[in-house]
Amino acid sequence: MSGMVTEVVTLVIMAFALGMDAFSVGLGMGMYRLRLKKIFHIGITIGLFHVWMPLLGLIAGKFLSEKFGIFATFIGGLLLMVLGVQMVWSTLKKAEEKVITPVGFGLLLFALSVSLDSFSVGLTLGIYGAKTIMVILCFGIVATVLTWVGLLLGKKVQSWLGTYSEALGGAILLAFGLKLLAPFWG
């Protein structure tokens, strides 16, 4: 029993760490003018990606090397940078039509960008034989809740900053993307 409690606590801490990027991206996305229904939908989508990506990682964990985890981080960082630059650029250009928004394909890009690291963690957990159900439940629930919190805080900040809030949201995404890519520069 003690071993299971320790494993759950470890997984929740790991899920919280992985979910912080969902929170950060949610904070940036929340600066779009989003309705509560859309915020709910975005949180569920990102949560589902945080279920499927580690599940795929767990399954593939015995077949792929650790180098894939580095590749996933690199791709996730690039995606966040592209999304951040696009948000800042559209604010500066006063563009009516945005290239990437948190709906449809844009939402899938957001969800993919914040869940790629869950895949690489799933690889590692798959190698060590973690309990699949506990992993995906912890990762999915924590990512969903942190996304909702980020989106709601972003929505509040958006109402304070007006039109410049989207540029701030883009800067947050850009900074987080740069943070993910920082290890590749050294």
Side-chain angles (χ1 to χ4, degrees):
M1 183 69 173
S2 174
M4 185 161 57
V5 171
T6 303
E7 186 173 354
V8 169
V9 169
T10 302
L11 287 174
V12 168
I13 291 169
M14 194 178 297
F16 188 80
L18 289 172
M20 287 310 293
D21 59 349
F23 170 80
S24 299
V25 170
L27 191 62
M29 279 194 306
M31 293 187 199
Y32 279 107
R33 297 180 201 274
L34 300 173
R35 296 181 184 264
L36 290 179
K37 182 178 177 182
K38 191 63 185 171
I39 288 173
F40 178 80
H41 178 71
I42 291 169
I44 293 294
T45 302
I46 289 176
L48 287 174
F49 267 77
H50 272 80
V51 166
W52 284 107
M53 294 304 281
L55 180 60
L56 291 174
L58 284 162
I59 292 168
K62 296 186 188 276
F63 303 110
L64 299 174
S65 71
E66 288 181 13
K67 291 184 181 182
F68 190 82
I70 293 169
F71 178 71
T73 301
F74 184 77
I75 296 299
L78 283 179
L79 279 173
L80 287 175
M81 286 181 59
V82 167
L83 296 171
V85 167
Q86 184 269 324
M87 284 176 70
V88 170
W89 184 257
S90 68
T91 300
L92 296 175
K93 287 298 214 174
K94 303 288 187 221
E96 289 299 315
E97 190 64 32
K98 293 170 181 56
V99 177
I100 302 171
T101 59
V103 294
F105 184 69
L107 175 56
L108 295 178
L109 276 179
F110 279 118
L112 180 63
S113 70
V114 298
S115 64
L116 280 174
D117 55 351
S118 298
F119 178 81
S120 58
V121 170
L123 285 173
T124 305
L125 292 173
I127 291 167
Y128 291 111
K131 292 176 179 58
T132 304
I133 296 297
M134 285 197 310
V135 169
I136 62 175
L137 282 175
C138 287
F139 285 20
I141 290 169
V142 170
T144 300
V145 170
L146 287 175
T147 301
W148 285 337
V149 170
L151 287 165
L152 292 170
L153 281 174
K155 184 178 175 83
K156 189 57 124 175
V157 170
Q158 189 275 333
S159 68
W160 295 334
L161 297 178
T163 58
Y164 296 106
S165 62
E166 191 174 333
L168 177 61
I172 290 170
L173 296 182
L174 180 61
F176 196 73
L178 288 170
K179 179 183 172 279
L180 287 178
L181 292 177
F184 298 101
W185 298 328

